[in-house]
Amino acid sequence: MEAAVVKPLIKVAALCGSLRKGSFNRGLLRAAIELSKEESSLKGLEIEYIDISPLPFLNTDLEVNGTFPSAVEAFRQKILEADSILFASPEYNYSVTAPLKNAIDWASRPPNVWADKSAAIISAGGGFGGGRAQYHLRQIGVFLDLHFINKPEFFLNAFQSPAKFDTDGNLIDPATKEKLMQVLLSLHAFTSRLKVNAEIMVS
């Protein structure tokens, strides 16, 4: 009898670039968390939403004797403990949002806690659905040593019919949920491969 394949536990830190309560991008992350709990194919994928709103603006004067403000220390620890990152962000002026860039910069301060983690990007907005922000984030990730999945890409025009979100910003469109599911499956598989390769190199 063939032994069942045991998938390693994958801890995902989910970050939203929008601070708005009813953010569509935050709605995408809520949907991702629900899918990870409901779908058997995502068993072992543990997604935790990490709030970036408490982070102060980056100011190296706040670094004292190698330590960071308490909110920054807590955030950096969450990123350090994660195996993977799930970014969800709208597009502001062809780029990532200021809150997300601020969070990225704090976690990149020495020692860079983004390094060698897998990542995926999802976005919702008008027009291109946040695509240009995604491409800019990928550029930033090169310097951070983040390893992004390449496919499937996920850009959602949130204003096209049929309605994608309800009035509270919750994802309600079945087709979009299926696309989100495919992103999570790809992230899960890619992160698992990276973990296995890392364990082989250590052994």
Side-chain angles (χ1 to χ4, degrees), residues 115-136:
D116 294 325
K117 298 184 186 299
S118 60
I121 317 170
I122 54 180
S123 61
F128 195 19
R132 284 172 293 241
Q134 288 201 25
Y135 294 146
H136 195 184

Side-chain angles (χ1 to χ4, degrees), residues 178-190:
E178 177 57 31
K179 291 178 181 178
L180 180 58
M181 176 78 170
Q182 295 307 313
V183 171
L184 297 178
L185 286 170
S186 180
L187 181 63
H188 193 185
F190 182 51

Side-chain angles (χ1 to χ4, degrees), residues 3-194:
V5 176
V6 179
K7 293 182 179 180
L9 174 65
I10 303 297
K11 297 179 67 175
V12 182
L15 307 181
C16 183
S18 174
L19 304 185
R20 188 172 67 87
K21 184 178 180 181
S23 164
F24 294 150
N25 287 276
R26 189 165 177 178
L28 290 177
L29 292 181
R30 284 195 298 272
I33 292 171
E34 290 170 4
L35 286 170
S36 70
K37 294 177 179 178
E38 296 170 356
E39 299 293 335
S40 59
S41 57
L42 292 175
K43 187 175 182 180
L45 194 70
E46 184 179 280
I47 305 175
E48 180 182 2
Y49 172 72
I50 310 298
D51 186 8
I52 63 174
S53 63
L55 298 175
F57 286 127
L58 190 142
N59 180 351
T60 53
D61 289 344
L62 299 177
E63 299 177 28
V64 181
N65 297 324
T67 65
F68 301 91
S70 58
V72 175
E73 289 279 11
F75 174 70
R76 287 173 55 87
Q77 187 61 34
K78 287 289 187 181
I79 300 303
L80 182 64
E81 293 171 354
D83 300 300
S84 182
I85 313 297
L86 179 61
F87 294 99
S89 181
E91 178 182 314
Y92 288 0
N93 300 317
Y94 283 22
S95 187
V96 298
T97 67
L100 181 57
K101 183 60 165 61
N102 186 57
I104 289 171
D105 291 343
W106 268 125
S108 72
R109 296 293 298 160
N112 170 28
V113 294
W114 301 110
D116 294 325
K117 298 184 186 299
S118 60
I121 317 170
I122 54 180
S123 61
F128 195 19
R132 284 172 293 241
Q134 288 201 25
Y135 294 146
H136 195 184
L137 181 54
R138 286 177 179 273
Q139 287 181 295
I140 295 169
V142 171
F143 185 77
L144 301 176
D145 289 327
L146 278 169
H147 307 297
F148 286 101
I149 63 170
N150 291 323
K151 294 178 181 176
E153 294 181 305
F154 185 106
F155 315 116
L156 177 64
N157 187 322
F159 305 103
Q160 287 182 332
S161 296
K164 305 300 189 294
F165 299 89
D166 64 18
T167 55
D168 295 319
N170 297 308
L171 184 64
I172 58 173
D173 181 53
T176 302
K177 286 186 179 182
E178 177 57 31
K179 291 178 181 178
L180 180 58
M181 176 78 170
Q182 295 307 313
V183 171
L184 297 178
L185 286 170
S186 180
L187 181 63
H188 193 185
F190 182 51
T191 309
S192 297
R193 290 198 301 272
L194 289 181

